[in-house]
Amino acid sequence: MTYWAVNAIFLGIAAVVLLAAVLLRRPRRLFWGALAAAAVLLVTLTAVFDNVMIASGIMAYTEHNISGVQVGLAPLEDFAYPVAGVLLLPALWLLLGSRVQEEADEAGDPAEGALPGAGLPASGLPNGRTPDARTSEGRRPTNETGGRSC
């Protein structure tokens, strides 16, 4: 089996896992932007640093190990693993990370490592008030000692 076939299989598996994660967890729009930004960044960095390493003689490829398609000096096959990582890691994050959050929600506690305020009401404060909550008279509420409360 050739190296490009192995890379194609690896990329295919990563794509199938991502598809399953997307169908099961329905990520928000931010997920897709982050995925695209990570892909562009990793492909760019791979192109730059692979070309530097090949040009400096740190790495070399024989003709029977590559397809012949190159980006500068870097063979196309070198881009398979960064692309697979961009597909596979967020997919696993969706599949496994959501389960941790669901278990924490069932227990009533925010998950460790959750975003700040993840266990709070929509207002963001534990008592449900907004930071500028005011009484019906237009003044800030006070507590029993006369101080302001939020």
Side-chain angles (χ1 to χ4, degrees):
M1 190 179 299
T2 62
Y3 289 106
W4 64 267
V6 172
N7 288 337
I9 291 169
F10 190 65
L11 282 170
I13 291 170
V16 167
V17 172
L18 178 63
L19 179 64
V22 166
L23 292 175
L24 290 172
R25 300 295 180 190
R26 307 277 183 202
R28 295 186 205 134
R29 190 179 308 203
L30 180 62
F31 173 83
W32 296 110
L35 189 77
V40 167
L41 183 66
L42 278 176
V43 167
T44 302
L45 289 172
T46 300
V48 169
F49 289 108
D50 274 16
N51 277 289
V52 168
M53 289 187 288
I54 293 167
S56 66
I58 295 174
M59 295 172 33
Y61 296 94
T62 60
E63 292 300 317
H64 73 278
N65 287 340
I66 59 175
S67 65
V69 179
Q70 295 180 305
V71 178
L73 299 173
L76 186 62
E77 291 83 1
D78 277 1
F79 294 89
Y81 293 104
V83 170
V86 166
L87 300 176
L88 193 57
L89 292 175
L92 293 175
W93 182 277
L94 278 176
L95 291 172
L96 301 176
S98 299
R99 191 173 301 149
V100 170
Q101 183 63 42
E102 288 171 3
E103 291 172 2
D105 288 344
E106 289 173 6
D109 296 328
E112 277 189 39
L115 294 174
L120 299 176
S123 69
L125 297 174
N127 60 7
R129 290 188 181 144
T130 61
D132 289 341
R134 298 186 183 266
T135 64
S136 59
E137 294 85 32
R139 58 184 169 77
R140 288 189 174 265
T142 58
N143 58 23
E144 293 80 29
T145 60
R148 286 197 284 181
S149 65
C150 290

